[in-house]
Amino acid sequence: MSVAGKSIESGGVERIPSAPRSNFVSEELARISSLLIDACPPEAIVSFHYESALHVHIDVRNLEHVTIVEALLPTLGAGIFHDIQRGNSPQHPFFHRVSARVDR
């Protein structure tokens, strides 16, 4: 049934239109992740965390790969990776971690 151009369900309750869903954040993270996975060594583990800013963590097995990732990050994505740091990987005891802030 329709009243003044509005659709009314049986029982007199008007259906609330749902807002279109946006996947912008998920799509952007997938794009950044794909960019990193394609550029990093095959066994690299890429993860993100957000704490007042978006950070990426790349865990690699050997120090040679740390050096490669550190040199590579500033050249990717038109300079979106900065404040690059290295450290130990907390979840992977035999890996090394390269972390960077992501400007997006």
Side-chain angles (χ1 to χ4, degrees):
M1 170 195 308
S2 149
V3 175
K6 294 184 179 179
S7 172
I8 297 187
E9 299 291 318
S10 63
V13 178
E14 183 178 331
R15 178 168 286 211
I16 299 173
S18 62
R21 293 182 185 245
S22 173
N23 291 328
F24 176 76
V25 173
S26 296
E27 290 170 359
E28 186 66 10
L29 283 174
R31 188 187 69 75
I32 294 169
S33 182
S34 178
L35 175 74
L36 291 167
I37 290 168
D38 290 346
C40 287
E43 81 282 353
I45 300 169
V46 177
S47 61
F48 295 93
H49 93 266
Y50 181 84
E51 188 175 316
S52 74
L54 181 62
H55 294 84
V56 64
H57 303 294
I58 303 165
D59 297 335
V60 293
R61 191 168 293 280
N62 63 53
L63 287 174
E64 292 172 9
H65 289 159
V66 169
T67 305
I68 291 169
V69 171
E70 285 176 327
L72 186 69
L73 279 177
T75 67
L76 296 174
I80 65 171
F81 304 105
H82 60 92
D83 297 339
I84 299 166
Q85 300 175 354
R86 68 166 69 180
N88 294 323
S89 175
Q91 285 81 22
H92 306 98
F94 298 106
F95 279 66
H96 307 277
R97 174 169 281 184
V98 178
S99 297
R101 186 170 171 177
V102 183
D103 277 343
R104 274 290 184 234

